[in-house]
Amino acid sequence: MDLSSDHHEYCTGGFNPEDIVISGISGRFPECDNVGELKEALYSKKDLVVFSPKRFEKGMLNVPYDSCGLLKNLDKFDAGFFRVSTLLANNTDPGGRIHLEVIYEALADAGIDASELSGQNIGIFNATSNDDALHISVEDDGSANSNLYRFVQVGRASFAFNFTGPAYSTDSACSSSAVAFWSAVNNIKSGCIEAAVISGCQLNLHPGMTSGYIKYGVATPTGNSRPFDASSDGMIRSEAIAAVFLQKAKSARRAYATVSTVRFYSAGHITEGATVPPLEIEKKLIRDSLKEVKVDSNEIEYMETHGTGTPIGDPIEVNALSEVFFENRSKPLLIGTIKSNLGHTEACSGLCGMIKALLTFENENIPPNIKYHTPNPNCPALLDGRIVVVTEPTPFKGNYIPVTSIGIGGTLVVTMLKKNPIAYNEYGAEKNLPRLVLFPATTEEAVSFLFDYIRNSPKLSNEFFALLNKLSFTDPSLKPFRGYAIFSEAENAFTLIKVNPFHLLWET
């Protein structure tokens, strides 16, 4: 695949060819195995912070509640698909296994089969901020399993996909994936790489960090995390593993949004301490981001905030926003945080916030916060209504969404995302025409699963089918099972023609 020339019609109108766009997204989230399930959960106001003793039980290291906000199916992995031996798979951090899956899925979401990019100058910028699997290995065996180090996780991904660009892991605590995103954007801008995968991995397998954060006054001691609410007493730790694919518009087959800018500052020396969010630096970061993209603060309708639910952090963030956005503003600023729905995914939280912003663009509707009832009394702008926490699905017509991410070590990132200039309901040709749907996979079950999904999803866009068509051009030695079907939305008809190993298609 030539990334300099391969593009899709949906990325030609309204884009500068050199724009950097998010073209693929994927993830695992608490109680959600993919972005589609996350979308449904967000708009239905589902609380994804479910407590369970699967990772650790209440009372371990004095943590007063069970582990919570957990990913499902950590033990499931198709080792053969990624050409990983059973022995190696069993000795790999479960986050590393899922990391391979979400990268593959993000590429597929961009309409790209991973084999097309083999050998190309693609970077992998990972964010991971704990070593729970390694910690458990040392406790159990008295020595460290070398397969559990962070650098192995990233290196194995480069090896699996045969990407030759830079690959490394970033740790700036809660802002890790936003910092990784910043690194990727700047590497693409400078011409060092053609495209990039940004990933965030957060699994809370051991109670140690939860116990420490509770003692430090950062994590909730009661499990009652309610961002921006008067009753919140800290953040609640949860899990997520996500990936996004970045490339220039001239080579993208789809675009969720354009990255207008991403800026990364550090707090420096402040009298409040190294772990307190710096009000003045946060204000400067937001103002500089708006100035760089030549956007007036009045053009910002909604902001996806860091919003963790801590008694110190929430007021500082809200008060910074009130000073930046209300110098000459008459309408309220809407804010939200995905952490109200799924908890604080720490190293992955920046990507989670971006994915929520992309869903807002795509659906022209802001997913609601949950657990917000009484404004934090230390946030005057919430009390007087200048800033409003979104608590119901809310129509959105804006063109920009800033996403903030703040690390407990003093790092701050603002990512300014710009809406896709093409309306989603304007895509493609006449939807009533029957479609020939082609799909290759490594197993017959995978082909059937995809066709079942199409059959049960009557409102799929023309873009979906166009990207799916791109995925059909795959080396049959890599995906030997091929499915063919006729689909007609107008008649609600779906006719499966054949699912067979590739070499048998010529014999039937």
Side-chain angles (χ1 to χ4, degrees):
M1 175 183 176
D2 181 3
L3 281 176
S4 66
S5 62
D6 187 86
H7 66 269
H8 194 276
E9 60 183 296
Y10 302 139
C11 286
T12 58
F15 288 94
N16 180 321
E18 296 300 312
D19 283 347
I20 297 175
V21 300
I22 299 174
S23 59
I25 59 177
S26 175
R28 306 282 188 275
F29 311 92
E31 306 299 314
C32 301
D33 283 334
N34 52 59
V35 174
E37 291 182 7
L38 175 67
K39 170 186 168 181
E40 183 178 347
L42 292 179
Y43 283 108
S44 62
K45 303 176 71 171
K46 184 177 180 181
D47 186 356
L48 300 174
V49 182
V50 177
F51 291 84
S52 167
K54 286 183 180 179
R55 304 284 189 271
F56 54 83
E57 296 180 354
K58 174 181 177 180
M60 291 183 66
L61 296 184
N62 297 316
V63 176
Y65 42 79
D66 290 334
S67 54
C68 61
L70 310 180
L71 300 193
K72 300 185 289 185
N73 302 320
L74 294 192
D75 58 335
K76 301 292 193 299
F77 179 63
D78 189 347
F81 182 82
F82 291 101
R83 301 179 183 181
V84 175
S85 71
T86 301
L87 178 63
L88 181 58
N90 289 336
N91 283 278
T92 298
D93 185 330
R97 298 194 294 259
I98 299 173
H99 185 227
L100 295 176
E101 295 176 345
V102 297
I103 291 176
Y104 184 89
E105 291 166 4
L107 296 175
D109 190 54
I112 299 170
D113 187 273
S115 63
E116 297 180 66
L117 301 181
S118 178
Q120 297 205 25
N121 187 22
I122 311 295
I124 299 179
F125 300 84
N126 172 255
T128 306
S129 64
N130 69 18
D131 298 295
D132 281 5
L134 184 64
H135 191 165
I136 292 170
S137 170
V138 173
E139 286 185 347
D140 290 347
D141 302 329
S143 62
N145 178 347
S146 60
N147 288 310
L148 301 177
Y149 287 109
R150 298 182 201 179
F151 67 83
V152 175
Q153 177 172 295
V154 184
R156 182 164 291 124
S158 283
F159 175 82
F161 295 103
N162 192 25
F163 293 166
T164 61
Y168 56 85
S169 183
T170 297
D171 182 3
S172 61
C174 319
S175 61
S176 297
S177 58
V179 172
F181 193 90
W182 172 83
S183 298
V185 168
N186 283 287
N187 270 269
I188 295 174
K189 280 184 176 179
S190 67
C192 291
I193 56 176
E194 299 173 69
V197 171
I198 302 93
S199 57
C201 298
Q202 183 71 31
L203 291 179
N204 303 322
L205 307 176
H206 190 278
M209 288 192 73
T210 302
S211 177
Y213 278 141
I214 291 173
K215 290 179 182 177
Y216 189 66
V218 175
T220 169
T222 63
N224 180 40
S225 183
R226 301 172 179 269
F228 307 120
D229 192 90
S231 67
S232 188
D233 56 4
M235 61 92 157
I236 190 81
R237 303 184 74 222
S238 60
E239 301 179 340
I241 299 177
V244 303
F245 188 59
L246 281 183
Q247 57 187 147
K248 290 189 175 181
K250 64 184 179 183
S251 57
R253 294 172 178 172
R254 86 180 310 167
Y256 283 100
T258 301
V259 182
S260 293
T261 188
V262 53
R263 297 181 76 92
F264 169 30
Y265 291 175
S266 292
H269 180 85
I270 58 174
T271 57
E272 293 86 349
T275 60
V276 177
L279 176 67
E280 294 303 319
I281 296 297
E282 187 166 353
K283 287 159 48 180
K284 175 176 171 53
L285 178 59
I286 298 169
R287 287 191 176 112
D288 289 351
S289 298
L290 292 170
K291 182 178 180 180
E292 180 182 346
V293 298
K294 298 180 174 60
V295 172
D296 187 271
S297 61
N298 284 303
E299 295 181 54
I300 304 299
E301 294 183 14
Y302 171 75
M303 189 155 185
E304 177 64 17
T305 67
H306 188 61
T308 59
T310 59
I312 294 177
D314 283 4
I316 290 175
E317 186 168 15
V318 171
N319 293 336
L321 297 180
S322 68
E323 293 190 36
V324 170
F325 285 95
F326 287 92
E327 294 171 343
N328 60 350
R329 186 186 185 97
S330 58
K331 60 183 179 181
L333 173 69
L334 304 180
I335 66 169
T337 173
I338 196 171
K339 297 174 185 67
S340 76
N341 310 82
L342 51 74
H344 192 354
T345 58
E346 298 180 33
C348 195
S349 63
L351 288 185
C352 290
M354 291 181 210
I355 289 172
K356 179 184 171 185
L358 299 179
L359 292 174
T360 299
F361 282 140
E362 185 174 28
N363 297 282
E364 297 185 331
N365 199 289
I366 305 168
N369 266 41
I370 61 174
K371 306 175 187 174
Y372 176 77
H373 303 290
T374 304
N376 187 317
N378 296 314
C379 302
L382 292 180
L383 296 172
D384 62 27
R386 285 177 294 153
I387 294 179
V388 175
V389 177
V390 175
T391 57
E392 295 294 336
T394 301
F396 175 80
K397 297 296 183 182
N399 290 318
Y400 294 90
I401 297 179
V403 181
T404 57
S405 190
I406 303 172
I408 196 171
T411 54
L412 302 91
V413 184
V414 167
T415 304
M416 188 76 71
L417 300 178
K418 182 181 179 182
K419 184 179 180 180
N420 183 334
I422 304 172
Y424 285 86
N425 59 7
E426 294 176 2
Y427 284 143
E430 177 57 54
K431 295 186 70 174
N432 292 334
L433 294 176
R435 303 176 186 276
L436 173 63
V437 181
L438 316 174
F439 186 66
T442 56
T443 65
E444 181 175 345
E445 290 80 7
V447 177
S448 298
F449 180 87
L450 187 279
F451 286 157
D452 286 342
Y453 173 77
I454 295 174
R455 182 185 291 110
N456 296 320
S457 305
K459 294 185 179 181
L460 293 171
S461 68
N462 286 342
E463 181 190 40
F464 172 86
F465 289 103
L467 293 169
L468 189 62
N469 181 60
K470 288 284 188 181
L471 293 176
S472 67
F473 298 97
T474 306
D475 183 345
S477 67
L478 300 175
K479 294 185 177 180
F481 283 85
R482 306 250 151 170
Y484 300 78
I486 300 295
F487 172 69
S488 174
E489 183 174 313
E491 301 173 6
N492 196 27
F494 191 99
T495 305
L496 179 64
I497 298 177
K498 182 68 75 173
V499 178
N500 250 336
F502 183 79
H503 71 278
L504 294 181
L505 291 176
W506 308 110
E507 303 170 8
T508 57

